[in-house]
Amino acid sequence: MPDVKVLAGTNKKPASKASKYFIFMTEGFLIFLPQSLLTKGWNRPSLVKLHWLLQVLGFCCIALGLIAVVTIKIIKGNPHFSFPHSITGLVAIIMAACTGIGGYVSRLKPHPKGPSLAQIKLGHVFFGMASYVVGVAALVLGYFTSYFGKLVDYEWRLFIAVITVLVSTVAFVNASVGFYRRAKNLFNF
């Protein structure tokens, strides 16, 4: 029987942080969909601010989860970053931080000798998509760690993994369409 507190996200363990990360980061992509009920009728600057807020919240959740796990491993004397899930998660956090910095830079006036604002925004979208994919991969790998194995059985973990992949595919396809439009306008193809 699965632990309802874990599935509902009400416990204070790293699994709860991971679920919040997934929700915030995915919704940060989905708000740009024209069919989004949450932001229907919002203007572009408001959408960008909400996107920024959701991405920062998602990043904070996953960073707090990482800090909690590393602290627990230090206390117990266990090795860190020794499994595919932890290595992929660390890469996702580094990529997300770089993407956030790129998002901040895209709000600044570009240097005349540097890349154009359109190029910076295209890079931000690309690295945002890449870090999202790596983050989702880390999340799915996390479902099959011994930690999750103690909480829920294999069938539940497989079900959660499939749902995660399906939802993230919708968000990724939406972001890919936006990336394609930006690249098409930038490179005139």
Side-chain angles (χ1 to χ4, degrees), residues 22-136:
F22 178 67
I23 291 167
F24 288 132
M25 293 297 200
T26 302
E27 191 57 39
F29 281 142
L30 294 178
I31 60 169
F32 291 107
L33 280 172
Q35 302 87 355
S36 175
L37 295 176
L38 180 65
T39 57
K40 196 170 193 89
W42 287 30
N43 61 19
R44 181 77 180 173
S46 297
L47 287 175
V48 171
K49 285 178 186 172
L50 180 60
H51 167 76
W52 178 85
L53 177 66
L54 290 169
Q55 298 300 325
V56 167
L57 286 171
F59 181 81
C60 289
C61 287
I62 203 64
L64 289 172
L66 175 72
I67 291 167
V69 168
V70 169
T71 303
I72 291 167
K73 288 195 177 260
I74 289 171
I75 290 169
K76 290 185 174 184
N78 294 339
H80 342 30
F81 308 114
S82 55
F83 297 102
H85 162 68
S86 56
I87 294 167
T88 310
L90 181 62
V91 170
I93 284 183
I94 293 167
M95 290 176 71
C98 292
T99 302
I101 291 167
Y104 176 74
V105 169
S106 73
R107 307 298 297 160
L108 303 175
K109 185 177 178 184
H111 191 275
K113 294 182 181 179
S116 69
L117 185 60
Q119 291 170 325
I120 292 170
K121 286 185 177 184
L122 184 67
H124 172 68
V125 172
F126 175 79
F127 282 108
M129 291 168 41
S131 65
Y132 180 75
V133 168
V134 174
V136 169

